[in-house]
Amino acid sequence: MLETINDYEIEEWIRSGLPLGSTPTLKQLTWRQHVQYAVGHIINDYYSKSPEVREQTSVQLLVERRWPKKQDGFLNGLHYWKAYDRVAEQLTNIFDISDHSAYPVALYEQWNTHVKELNIDLTIIFQAIWDSEEKAGQFTIQKFMVDEDIEVIKAFVFMANVFWHSVYGESPGSIEIYTLMSGRKYSFARENLCYRESLDYVYLLSKRAPHARTCKA
């Protein structure tokens, strides 16, 4: 029997604030979930364009195209438009300083691997992965989160590190996490990514998290 861990389910469970082993009840999607879905598509829309087209692309138009058409889950109309303005501002800033000549090696893709040490299957949605021009094979994983949640950030870093070791036998070159509503960026360099600590964390998830699904091998 194998345990299957999906990163997006783990993140929602952590955000729910429920104790280990508790299962969140089904409910209507939150405003954050609606916006996160839009952000994923905006990232994909922008970086899938050729470098020369990116420089001429209006981020505001991309946001307008993908933004939730209804205000379901938002506190009110003011909250809806404040979130819109903040996300548009932050993505514009991020894209402005990005390398317009580079292509990501992976873009908004769901990857999965079998972690032998834990005998689990681990699935992660990678929003953007970049290869280093200076050191080939030194990959940078980028994640764009709507709100800032330290526990969710920690979980993603640990899961991504375990995933990378399972596939490539080493940690990624770095992991960058942007929290759009707060305007912060978290960076984790390879030398600061401890594999044993990450493995222990994911092991705990596989035993305690309600979304660690058991399936036949």
Side-chain angles (χ1 to χ4, degrees), residues 13 18 21 42 50 60 72 92 114 131 184 186 188 199 214:
W13 170 63
L18 293 174
I42 295 165
S50 63
Q60 190 78 29
D72 296 346
T92 298
H114 177 67
D131 197 359
R184 293 190 176 93
Y186 292 83
F188 304 86
L199 201 64
T214 301

Side-chain angles (χ1 to χ4, degrees), residues 202-215:
V202 175
Y203 172 77
L204 178 62
L205 287 181
S206 71
K207 298 304 179 184
R208 297 293 187 87
H211 291 300
R213 302 171 180 173
T214 301
C215 59

Side-chain angles (χ1 to χ4, degrees), residues 31-70:
W31 72 272
R32 186 202 55 75
Q33 289 172 306
H34 286 297
V35 174
Q36 188 67 63
Y37 180 80
V39 166
H41 282 288
I42 295 165
I43 299 297
N44 184 69
D45 290 344
Y46 183 80
Y47 284 124
S48 61
K49 299 180 183 298
S50 63
E52 58 272 15
V53 173
R54 277 184 232 152
E55 294 188 49
Q56 307 300 322
T57 297
S58 167
V59 179
Q60 190 78 29
L61 289 179
L62 293 181
V63 175
E64 183 178 342
R65 175 188 174 196
R66 294 295 188 176
W67 198 254
K69 303 306 177 187
K70 297 181 180 179

